[in-house]
Amino acid sequence: MNQSSEKPQRGDIIVILHLRYMDWAVYVGGGNVVHLTSGKSSTIGLSNFFTYLWGDTEATKEPLKDAALGRVRWVCNHLDHKYRPRPVDEIIAAAEKMACNRKKYGAPIQNSERFVNALRYGQIPRKWSNEDPQPGDLIEISRSVFAHWAVYVGDGYVVHLLGSDLPLLGSCSSSPCSSPCEDRNGEVKRERLRDVVGGDTYRVNNYLDYKFPPRPVQAIIQLAEERVGPCYYNVLWANCEHFATDLRYGKRYSKQSNQVLRTGVLGVLGGLAASII
């Protein structure tokens, strides 16, 4: 079997597919993982299967290539949609500590997944909460047509990109990303989250964390603060979502723009505007 081509990032959970079971590991960087092992050979066979069912194990740090031995593996941060991952440095420190303390665990079939989940999300996982955004979080704000995006920088404030609107779809102040129209000048502002949200609703939505590693929190905040002021705005290529994802991941991405381009909403809205004029 071939290995997955997906490159893991530090703190990622990796699933390794064995013949009769799955091994769960945490990638700690440098080509190494920490996972539960019996200390025996990783060769596929009944003895390893029985150990997986009933044997005692301990946390082990070893090269991913040795843990996988050519088997199928993939990154599986499967609870990121539900729980807030711990900071990467905390995940790594906890994993390295576990690999050094020689603590005995029960059979991997009961503890392997639980072990890596505790490393990535903590012994008491923290659910995502709209009431408690953390610095660096992406904030998605519901608007009448499209969502507006901002980056939370702490103390109740967000940094976000504002652009102009067509009157057809809302006011400039309340719906900065409501209409796919021509290029506009924009401005990055630092404002209170409650003022930006107004009478709408919002949620924490770090929806690309599974795909791109976020920048360090302080780097996100510093970069956001530095960008406050006039800037370029284009609803399809440089909108508020592009701005927010670029701050968090260093990648400009907008699922809304992609959807508009796929479905041809530009033509529909253009027709509506022409009919009104």
Side-chain angles (χ1 to χ4, degrees):
M1 290 185 178
N2 295 324
Q3 290 187 355
S4 166
S5 60
E6 186 175 7
K7 185 177 180 180
Q9 303 295 322
R10 295 170 69 247
D12 278 347
I13 292 174
I14 298 176
V15 174
I16 303 169
L17 183 63
H18 291 248
L19 184 61
R20 298 174 179 85
Y21 60 92
M22 292 190 298
D23 180 21
W24 296 73
V26 168
Y27 186 73
V28 295
N32 297 309
V33 294
V34 171
H35 62 143
L36 297 183
T37 72
S38 65
K40 298 179 181 179
S41 170
S42 297
T43 303
I44 298 173
L46 283 176
S47 60
N48 225 32
F49 178 57
F50 291 143
T51 297
Y52 189 77
L53 288 176
W54 299 297
D56 286 335
T57 56
E58 62 185 38
T60 303
K61 179 180 177 180
E62 63 178 332
L64 174 58
K65 62 182 179 62
D66 293 341
L69 286 177
R71 304 181 184 105
V72 171
R73 58 175 172 81
W74 62 93
V75 172
C76 185
N77 299 322
H78 61 135
L79 296 178
D80 277 16
H81 68 287
K82 187 175 182 180
Y83 301 118
R84 181 185 295 278
R86 303 162 74 186
V88 171
D89 288 344
E90 286 187 17
I91 298 173
I92 305 306
E96 298 275 7
K97 182 178 179 180
M98 292 291 190
C100 294
N101 67 12
R102 297 300 186 183
K103 178 181 177 180
K104 294 295 181 182
Y105 295 84
I109 194 171
Q110 296 176 342
N111 293 286
S112 180
E113 181 180 355
R114 187 183 308 166
F115 172 77
V116 298
N117 285 344
L119 287 176
R120 183 167 177 83
Y121 306 107
Q123 293 291 342
I124 303 177
R126 295 177 58 195
K127 289 187 176 182
W128 291 107
S129 172
N130 293 343
E131 303 303 319
D132 184 31
Q134 300 299 303
D137 279 346
L138 297 185
I139 305 294
E140 181 182 14
I141 304 167
S142 298
R143 299 299 197 202
S144 58
V145 178
F146 292 97
H148 181 51
W149 290 80
V151 173
Y152 188 76
V153 294
D155 297 325
Y157 282 85
V158 294
V159 170
H160 61 131
L161 171 61
L162 292 162
S164 300
D165 259 349
L166 284 173
L168 172 66
L169 294 174
S171 67
C172 294
S173 60
S174 64
S175 301
C177 292
S178 292
S179 60
C181 53
E182 69 271 15
D183 294 0
R184 308 266 184 183
N185 289 327
E187 184 176 4
V188 175
K189 291 187 176 182
R190 183 181 187 273
E191 299 182 289
R192 286 192 178 277
L193 173 60
R194 67 187 182 195
D195 295 335
V196 177
V197 173
D200 295 316
T201 60
Y202 76 93
R203 63 172 177 159
V204 173
N205 190 8
N206 300 321
Y207 70 103
L208 293 175
D209 278 17
Y210 79 98
K211 190 173 184 179
F212 305 121
R215 301 178 195 262
V217 172
Q218 289 305 315
I220 296 173
I221 295 172
Q222 180 178 347
L223 188 57
E225 302 280 1
E226 290 173 353
R227 292 191 179 178
V228 171
C231 73
Y232 176 71
Y233 177 86
N234 178 299
V235 76
L236 285 178
W237 316 116
N239 64 32
C240 56
E241 189 177 359
H242 289 114
F243 174 77
T245 54
D246 184 41
L247 286 179
R248 182 169 176 84
Y249 306 108
K251 305 286 185 180
R252 300 175 66 82
Y253 184 86
S254 173
K255 58 184 179 181
Q256 297 181 115
S257 291
N258 292 342
Q259 184 178 7
V260 166
L261 293 170
R262 283 196 306 268
T263 59
V265 173
L266 273 174
V268 175
L269 292 176
L272 286 172
S275 67
I276 290 176
I277 294 171

PDB file of all heavy atoms in Angstrom, residues 183-206:
ATOM      1  N   ASP A 183     -14.603  46.597  -9.210  1.00  0.00           N
ATOM      2  CA  ASP A 183     -13.559  46.903  -8.229  1.00  0.00           C
ATOM      3  C   ASP A 183     -13.930  48.138  -7.418  1.00  0.00           C
ATOM      4  O   ASP A 183     -14.474  49.100  -7.932  1.00  0.00           O
ATOM      5  CB  ASP A 183     -12.232  47.160  -8.938  1.00  0.00           C
ATOM      6  CG  ASP A 183     -11.708  45.913  -9.613  1.00  0.00           C
ATOM      7  OD1 ASP A 183     -12.372  44.857  -9.530  1.00  0.00           O
ATOM      8  OD2 ASP A 183     -10.648  46.007 -10.225  1.00  0.00           O
ATOM      9  N   ARG A 184     -13.582  48.114  -6.132  1.00  0.00           N
ATOM     10  CA  ARG A 184     -13.880  49.254  -5.252  1.00  0.00           C
ATOM     11  C   ARG A 184     -12.643  49.564  -4.404  1.00  0.00           C
ATOM     12  O   ARG A 184     -11.850  48.689  -4.103  1.00  0.00           O
ATOM     13  CB  ARG A 184     -15.026  48.907  -4.303  1.00  0.00           C
ATOM     14  CG  ARG A 184     -16.279  48.371  -5.004  1.00  0.00           C
ATOM     15  CD  ARG A 184     -17.272  49.469  -5.290  1.00  0.00           C
ATOM     16  NE  ARG A 184     -18.496  48.947  -5.859  1.00  0.00           N
ATOM     17  CZ  ARG A 184     -19.497  49.709  -6.248  1.00  0.00           C
ATOM     18  NH1 ARG A 184     -19.417  51.012  -6.138  1.00  0.00           N
ATOM     19  NH2 ARG A 184     -20.587  49.171  -6.756  1.00  0.00           N
ATOM     20  N   ASN A 185     -12.538  50.766  -3.974  1.00  0.00           N
ATOM     21  CA  ASN A 185     -11.556  51.080  -2.950  1.00  0.00           C
ATOM     22  C   ASN A 185     -12.092  50.583  -1.617  1.00  0.00           C
ATOM     23  O   ASN A 185     -13.299  50.562  -1.378  1.00  0.00           O
ATOM     24  CB  ASN A 185     -11.312  52.587  -2.880  1.00  0.00           C
ATOM     25  CG  ASN A 185     -10.549  53.083  -4.097  1.00  0.00           C
ATOM     26  OD1 ASN A 185      -9.721  52.357  -4.646  1.00  0.00           O
ATOM     27  ND2 ASN A 185     -10.839  54.294  -4.531  1.00  0.00           N
ATOM     28  N   GLY A 186     -11.203  50.201  -0.729  1.00  0.00           N
ATOM     29  CA  GLY A 186     -11.638  49.671   0.558  1.00  0.00           C
ATOM     30  C   GLY A 186     -10.867  50.277   1.707  1.00  0.00           C
ATOM     31  O   GLY A 186      -9.967  51.102   1.517  1.00  0.00           O
ATOM     32  N   GLU A 187     -11.236  49.857   2.892  1.00  0.00           N
ATOM     33  CA  GLU A 187     -10.568  50.318   4.109  1.00  0.00           C
ATOM     34  C   GLU A 187     -10.598  49.217   5.158  1.00  0.00           C
ATOM     35  O   GLU A 187     -11.624  48.573   5.362  1.00  0.00           O
ATOM     36  CB  GLU A 187     -11.248  51.569   4.656  1.00  0.00           C
ATOM     37  CG  GLU A 187     -10.526  52.143   5.873  1.00  0.00           C
ATOM     38  CD  GLU A 187     -11.150  53.438   6.364  1.00  0.00           C
ATOM     39  OE1 GLU A 187     -12.182  53.845   5.807  1.00  0.00           O
ATOM     40  OE2 GLU A 187     -10.601  54.025   7.320  1.00  0.00           O
ATOM     41  N   VAL A 188      -9.463  49.010   5.800  1.00  0.00           N
ATOM     42  CA  VAL A 188      -9.375  48.069   6.914  1.00  0.00           C
ATOM     43  C   VAL A 188      -9.598  48.841   8.202  1.00  0.00           C
ATOM     44  O   VAL A 188      -8.941  49.860   8.445  1.00  0.00           O
ATOM     45  CB  VAL A 188      -8.003  47.365   6.941  1.00  0.00           C
ATOM     46  CG1 VAL A 188      -7.889  46.470   8.176  1.00  0.00           C
ATOM     47  CG2 VAL A 188      -7.796  46.546   5.670  1.00  0.00           C
ATOM     48  N   LYS A 189     -10.531  48.359   9.020  1.00  0.00           N
ATOM     49  CA  LYS A 189     -10.866  49.041  10.264  1.00  0.00           C
ATOM     50  C   LYS A 189     -10.718  48.112  11.457  1.00  0.00           C
ATOM     51  O   LYS A 189     -10.896  46.902  11.350  1.00  0.00           O
ATOM     52  CB  LYS A 189     -12.302  49.570  10.216  1.00  0.00           C
ATOM     53  CG  LYS A 189     -12.519  50.719   9.244  1.00  0.00           C
ATOM     54  CD  LYS A 189     -13.924  51.284   9.386  1.00  0.00           C
ATOM     55  CE  LYS A 189     -14.129  52.497   8.498  1.00  0.00           C
ATOM     56  NZ  LYS A 189     -15.483  53.089   8.678  1.00  0.00           N
ATOM     57  N   ARG A 190     -10.413  48.716  12.595  1.00  0.00           N
ATOM     58  CA  ARG A 190     -10.418  48.016  13.883  1.00  0.00           C
ATOM     59  C   ARG A 190     -11.606  48.551  14.675  1.00  0.00           C
ATOM     60  O   ARG A 190     -11.628  49.728  15.048  1.00  0.00           O
ATOM     61  CB  ARG A 190      -9.115  48.268  14.646  1.00  0.00           C
ATOM     62  CG  ARG A 190      -9.006  47.515  15.983  1.00  0.00           C
ATOM     63  CD  ARG A 190      -7.689  47.856  16.673  1.00  0.00           C
ATOM     64  NE  ARG A 190      -7.462  47.058  17.862  1.00  0.00           N
ATOM     65  CZ  ARG A 190      -7.899  47.368  19.085  1.00  0.00           C
ATOM     66  NH1 ARG A 190      -8.628  48.484  19.269  1.00  0.00           N
ATOM     67  NH2 ARG A 190      -7.635  46.591  20.110  1.00  0.00           N
ATOM     68  N   GLU A 191     -12.591  47.692  14.916  1.00  0.00           N
ATOM     69  CA  GLU A 191     -13.824  48.131  15.562  1.00  0.00           C
ATOM     70  C   GLU A 191     -14.306  47.076  16.548  1.00  0.00           C
ATOM     71  O   GLU A 191     -13.864  45.913  16.507  1.00  0.00           O
ATOM     72  CB  GLU A 191     -14.916  48.365  14.512  1.00  0.00           C
ATOM     73  CG  GLU A 191     -14.587  49.436  13.484  1.00  0.00           C
ATOM     74  CD  GLU A 191     -15.717  49.645  12.504  1.00  0.00           C
ATOM     75  OE1 GLU A 191     -15.947  48.749  11.666  1.00  0.00           O
ATOM     76  OE2 GLU A 191     -16.377  50.705  12.573  1.00  0.00           O
ATOM     77  N   ARG A 192     -15.220  47.476  17.405  1.00  0.00           N
ATOM     78  CA  ARG A 192     -15.797  46.524  18.348  1.00  0.00           C
ATOM     79  C   ARG A 192     -16.615  45.483  17.598  1.00  0.00           C
ATOM     80  O   ARG A 192     -17.372  45.807  16.675  1.00  0.00           O
ATOM     81  CB  ARG A 192     -16.687  47.236  19.368  1.00  0.00           C
ATOM     82  CG  ARG A 192     -15.897  48.014  20.407  1.00  0.00           C
ATOM     83  CD  ARG A 192     -16.807  48.456  21.555  1.00  0.00           C
ATOM     84  NE  ARG A 192     -16.051  49.155  22.575  1.00  0.00           N
ATOM     85  CZ  ARG A 192     -15.362  48.547  23.542  1.00  0.00           C
ATOM     86  NH1 ARG A 192     -15.344  47.234  23.615  1.00  0.00           N
ATOM     87  NH2 ARG A 192     -14.697  49.247  24.439  1.00  0.00           N
ATOM     88  N   LEU A 193     -16.478  44.249  18.005  1.00  0.00           N
ATOM     89  CA  LEU A 193     -17.225  43.165  17.374  1.00  0.00           C
ATOM     90  C   LEU A 193     -18.719  43.431  17.417  1.00  0.00           C
ATOM     91  O   LEU A 193     -19.425  43.258  16.417  1.00  0.00           O
ATOM     92  CB  LEU A 193     -16.897  41.832  18.066  1.00  0.00           C
ATOM     93  CG  LEU A 193     -17.717  40.611  17.627  1.00  0.00           C
ATOM     94  CD1 LEU A 193     -17.540  40.330  16.140  1.00  0.00           C
ATOM     95  CD2 LEU A 193     -17.315  39.375  18.447  1.00  0.00           C
ATOM     96  N   ARG A 194     -19.223  43.882  18.561  1.00  0.00           N
ATOM     97  CA  ARG A 194     -20.665  44.097  18.694  1.00  0.00           C
ATOM     98  C   ARG A 194     -21.164  45.175  17.742  1.00  0.00           C
ATOM     99  O   ARG A 194     -22.297  45.120  17.254  1.00  0.00           O
ATOM    100  CB  ARG A 194     -21.002  44.456  20.139  1.00  0.00           C
ATOM    101  CG  ARG A 194     -20.461  45.799  20.610  1.00  0.00           C
ATOM    102  CD  ARG A 194     -20.681  45.992  22.086  1.00  0.00           C
ATOM    103  NE  ARG A 194     -20.206  47.307  22.539  1.00  0.00           N
ATOM    104  CZ  ARG A 194     -20.012  47.623  23.804  1.00  0.00           C
ATOM    105  NH1 ARG A 194     -20.240  46.720  24.761  1.00  0.00           N
ATOM    106  NH2 ARG A 194     -19.590  48.830  24.148  1.00  0.00           N
ATOM    107  N   ASP A 195     -20.315  46.178  17.454  1.00  0.00           N
ATOM    108  CA  ASP A 195     -20.707  47.240  16.533  1.00  0.00           C
ATOM    109  C   ASP A 195     -20.718  46.743  15.088  1.00  0.00           C
ATOM    110  O   ASP A 195     -21.565  47.144  14.293  1.00  0.00           O
ATOM    111  CB  ASP A 195     -19.775  48.441  16.658  1.00  0.00           C
ATOM    112  CG  ASP A 195     -19.868  49.116  18.024  1.00  0.00           C
ATOM    113  OD1 ASP A 195     -20.933  48.974  18.667  1.00  0.00           O
ATOM    114  OD2 ASP A 195     -18.887  49.758  18.443  1.00  0.00           O
ATOM    115  N   VAL A 196     -19.759  45.880  14.760  1.00  0.00           N
ATOM    116  CA  VAL A 196     -19.693  45.332  13.402  1.00  0.00           C
ATOM    117  C   VAL A 196     -20.859  44.369  13.162  1.00  0.00           C
ATOM    118  O   VAL A 196     -21.463  44.361  12.095  1.00  0.00           O
ATOM    119  CB  VAL A 196     -18.348  44.610  13.165  1.00  0.00           C
ATOM    120  CG1 VAL A 196     -18.312  43.974  11.779  1.00  0.00           C
ATOM    121  CG2 VAL A 196     -17.186  45.592  13.311  1.00  0.00           C
ATOM    122  N   VAL A 197     -21.182  43.575  14.164  1.00  0.00           N
ATOM    123  CA  VAL A 197     -22.279  42.615  14.036  1.00  0.00           C
ATOM    124  C   VAL A 197     -23.620  43.328  13.954  1.00  0.00           C
ATOM    125  O   VAL A 197     -24.488  42.974  13.156  1.00  0.00           O
ATOM    126  CB  VAL A 197     -22.274  41.621  15.219  1.00  0.00           C
ATOM    127  CG1 VAL A 197     -23.513  40.728  15.180  1.00  0.00           C
ATOM    128  CG2 VAL A 197     -21.013  40.762  15.191  1.00  0.00           C
ATOM    129  N   GLY A 198     -23.808  44.361  14.768  1.00  0.00           N
ATOM    130  CA  GLY A 198     -25.074  45.082  14.786  1.00  0.00           C
ATOM    131  C   GLY A 198     -26.212  44.163  15.173  1.00  0.00           C
ATOM    132  O   GLY A 198     -26.141  43.420  16.158  1.00  0.00           O
ATOM    133  N   GLY A 199     -27.266  44.142  14.367  1.00  0.00           N
ATOM    134  CA  GLY A 199     -28.414  43.295  14.653  1.00  0.00           C
ATOM    135  C   GLY A 199     -28.344  41.932  14.011  1.00  0.00           C
ATOM    136  O   GLY A 199     -29.313  41.159  14.077  1.00  0.00           O
ATOM    137  N   ASP A 200     -27.204  41.598  13.393  1.00  0.00           N
ATOM    138  CA  ASP A 200     -27.043  40.299  12.744  1.00  0.00           C
ATOM    139  C   ASP A 200     -26.499  39.266  13.732  1.00  0.00           C
ATOM    140  O   ASP A 200     -26.320  39.550  14.914  1.00  0.00           O
ATOM    141  CB  ASP A 200     -26.119  40.428  11.532  1.00  0.00           C
ATOM    142  CG  ASP A 200     -26.712  41.300  10.440  1.00  0.00           C
ATOM    143  OD1 ASP A 200     -27.910  41.138  10.136  1.00  0.00           O
ATOM    144  OD2 ASP A 200     -25.975  42.156   9.895  1.00  0.00           O
ATOM    145  N   THR A 201     -26.195  38.092  13.243  1.00  0.00           N
ATOM    146  CA  THR A 201     -25.623  37.027  14.072  1.00  0.00           C
ATOM    147  C   THR A 201     -24.221  36.702  13.576  1.00  0.00           C
ATOM    148  O   THR A 201     -23.864  37.009  12.432  1.00  0.00           O
ATOM    149  CB  THR A 201     -26.490  35.756  14.023  1.00  0.00           C
ATOM    150  OG1 THR A 201     -26.569  35.287  12.668  1.00  0.00           O
ATOM    151  CG2 THR A 201     -27.890  36.036  14.552  1.00  0.00           C
ATOM    152  N   TYR A 202     -23.424  36.075  14.433  1.00  0.00           N
ATOM    153  CA  TYR A 202     -22.070  35.707  14.042  1.00  0.00           C
ATOM    154  C   TYR A 202     -21.680  34.383  14.667  1.00  0.00           C
ATOM    155  O   TYR A 202     -22.349  33.878  15.575  1.00  0.00           O
ATOM    156  CB  TYR A 202     -21.076  36.795  14.468  1.00  0.00           C
ATOM    157  CG  TYR A 202     -20.752  36.812  15.950  1.00  0.00           C
ATOM    158  CD1 TYR A 202     -19.652  36.115  16.446  1.00  0.00           C
ATOM    159  CD2 TYR A 202     -21.544  37.509  16.855  1.00  0.00           C
ATOM    160  CE1 TYR A 202     -19.344  36.122  17.806  1.00  0.00           C
ATOM    161  CE2 TYR A 202     -21.248  37.516  18.203  1.00  0.00           C
ATOM    162  CZ  TYR A 202     -20.148  36.821  18.671  1.00  0.00           C
ATOM    163  OH  TYR A 202     -19.872  36.820  20.021  1.00  0.00           O
ATOM    164  N   ARG A 203     -20.595  33.828  14.167  1.00  0.00           N
ATOM    165  CA  ARG A 203     -20.041  32.602  14.752  1.00  0.00           C
ATOM    166  C   ARG A 203     -18.534  32.566  14.514  1.00  0.00           C
ATOM    167  O   ARG A 203     -18.026  33.164  13.556  1.00  0.00           O
ATOM    168  CB  ARG A 203     -20.683  31.358  14.144  1.00  0.00           C
ATOM    169  CG  ARG A 203     -20.426  31.178  12.645  1.00  0.00           C
ATOM    170  CD  ARG A 203     -20.919  29.834  12.174  1.00  0.00           C
ATOM    171  NE  ARG A 203     -20.745  29.684  10.732  1.00  0.00           N
ATOM    172  CZ  ARG A 203     -20.702  28.503  10.121  1.00  0.00           C
ATOM    173  NH1 ARG A 203     -20.817  27.376  10.813  1.00  0.00           N
ATOM    174  NH2 ARG A 203     -20.553  28.441   8.802  1.00  0.00           N
ATOM    175  N   VAL A 204     -17.817  31.884  15.396  1.00  0.00           N
ATOM    176  CA  VAL A 204     -16.407  31.588  15.176  1.00  0.00           C
ATOM    177  C   VAL A 204     -16.348  30.506  14.103  1.00  0.00           C
ATOM    178  O   VAL A 204     -17.023  29.489  14.202  1.00  0.00           O
ATOM    179  CB  VAL A 204     -15.730  31.100  16.470  1.00  0.00           C
ATOM    180  CG1 VAL A 204     -14.307  30.628  16.176  1.00  0.00           C
ATOM    181  CG2 VAL A 204     -15.722  32.206  17.519  1.00  0.00           C
ATOM    182  N   ASN A 205     -15.550  30.726  13.060  1.00  0.00           N
ATOM    183  CA  ASN A 205     -15.509  29.758  11.963  1.00  0.00           C
ATOM    184  C   ASN A 205     -14.112  29.702  11.346  1.00  0.00           C
ATOM    185  O   ASN A 205     -13.854  30.274  10.295  1.00  0.00           O
ATOM    186  CB  ASN A 205     -16.552  30.108  10.901  1.00  0.00           C
ATOM    187  CG  ASN A 205     -16.704  29.002   9.860  1.00  0.00           C
ATOM    188  OD1 ASN A 205     -16.136  27.915  10.002  1.00  0.00           O
ATOM    189  ND2 ASN A 205     -17.466  29.262   8.808  1.00  0.00           N
ATOM    190  N   ASN A 206     -13.226  28.995  12.006  1.00  0.00           N
ATOM    191  CA  ASN A 206     -11.864  28.782  11.485  1.00  0.00           C
ATOM    192  C   ASN A 206     -11.910  27.585  10.538  1.00  0.00           C
ATOM    193  O   ASN A 206     -11.287  26.548  10.774  1.00  0.00           O
ATOM    194  CB  ASN A 206     -10.891  28.544  12.640  1.00  0.00           C
ATOM    195  CG  ASN A 206     -10.841  29.720  13.586  1.00  0.00           C
ATOM    196  OD1 ASN A 206     -10.877  30.875  13.167  1.00  0.00           O
ATOM    197  ND2 ASN A 206     -10.768  29.443  14.877  1.00  0.00           N
TER     198      ASN A 206
END
